[in-house]
Amino acid sequence: MRVAIGNDHAATELKMEIMEYVKSLGHEVINFGTDGHESCNYPEFGEKVGRAVVDGQADCGILICGTGVGISLAANKVKGVRCGVCSDTTTAHLIKEHNNANVIAFGARIVGSELAKDIVKTYLEAEFMGGRHQTRVDMIHEIEEKG
Ligand code: RB5
């Protein structure tokens, strides 16, 4: 898969680790985040990853900021993005199986690197279940269309 990744200054180290990990799983990584430690603005990176996924440049996205919250809020403003914060592996598979999330987010100040890797692997291996869950995802899109 082509995985878009984005982060702010709070998550540069973890992003580097996750990039290597995703590659080790056999995926391609497209890095949209900062590689520096200077203070920057997470919405920029949430938007870039969201657009890459919606435009088809990437199959899915991973976003990391301090908590995962700000960057996920920004990504969700891009039409077609379904992003949620995952701080555990149960959410990491259900967010794909039930919500068909095309982007996940987590916080470098919240989860340790081993848990972050487990979250990423779990999400990347999960599959959308469709059926009644498709109906609900369609309802989310209807809300989006209403603006
Ligand atoms: C940056 O200090 C921090 O606010 C950001 O990384 C993130 O946690 C926002 O939700």
Side-chain angles (χ1 to χ4, degrees), residues 78-118:
V78 178
K79 197 172 178 183
V81 167
R82 292 176 304 282
C83 176
V85 177
C86 296
S87 301
D88 63 88
T89 53
T90 303
T91 306
H93 67 83
L94 288 174
I95 200 169
K96 181 66 187 179
E97 291 168 359
H98 287 194
N99 313 117
N100 202 16
N102 47 15
V103 182
I104 61 164
F106 48 84
R109 295 172 180 159
I110 307 297
V111 300
S113 68
E114 291 308 312
L115 177 55
K117 286 178 201 167
D118 285 347

Side-chain angles (χ1 to χ4, degrees), residues 8-10 42 65-71 109:
D8 71 359
H9 58 282
Y42 58 79
C65 64
T67 60
V69 173
I71 205 161
R109 295 172 180 159

Side-chain angles (χ1 to χ4, degrees), residues 2-147:
R2 294 158 306 158
V3 181
I5 193 160
N7 63 286
D8 71 359
H9 58 282
T12 302
E13 248 99 64
L14 183 57
K15 186 274 298 285
M16 295 298 186
E17 225 177 304
I18 294 297
M19 273 179 61
E20 289 314 307
Y21 181 65
V22 170
K23 285 183 204 165
S24 80
L25 295 175
H27 303 289
E28 184 189 331
V29 177
I30 314 170
N31 179 16
F32 289 96
T34 180
D35 292 336
H37 296 88
E38 278 175 31
S39 184
C40 56
N41 302 316
Y42 58 79
E44 175 187 339
F45 309 106
E47 181 181 7
K48 281 181 180 165
V49 166
R51 292 210 187 281
V53 171
V54 167
D55 294 347
Q57 191 185 344
D59 299 300
C60 62
I62 297 170
L63 290 169
I64 324 172
C65 64
T67 60
V69 173
I71 205 161
S72 67
L73 290 174
N76 275 315
K77 294 298 178 188
V78 178
K79 197 172 178 183
V81 167
R82 292 176 304 282
C83 176
V85 177
C86 296
S87 301
D88 63 88
T89 53
T90 303
T91 306
H93 67 83
L94 288 174
I95 200 169
K96 181 66 187 179
E97 291 168 359
H98 287 194
N99 313 117
N100 202 16
N102 47 15
V103 182
I104 61 164
F106 48 84
R109 295 172 180 159
I110 307 297
V111 300
S113 68
E114 291 308 312
L115 177 55
K117 286 178 201 167
D118 285 347
I119 288 168
V120 165
K121 185 171 192 289
T122 301
Y123 168 70
L124 292 176
E125 289 178 353
E127 286 183 25
F128 181 49
M129 292 167 69
R132 68 185 189 280
H133 301 295
Q134 183 63 61
T135 305
R136 294 160 186 168
V137 169
D138 289 344
M139 289 172 73
I140 294 171
H141 282 286
E142 282 166 24
I143 296 168
E144 192 173 57
E145 289 299 331
K146 285 182 203 164

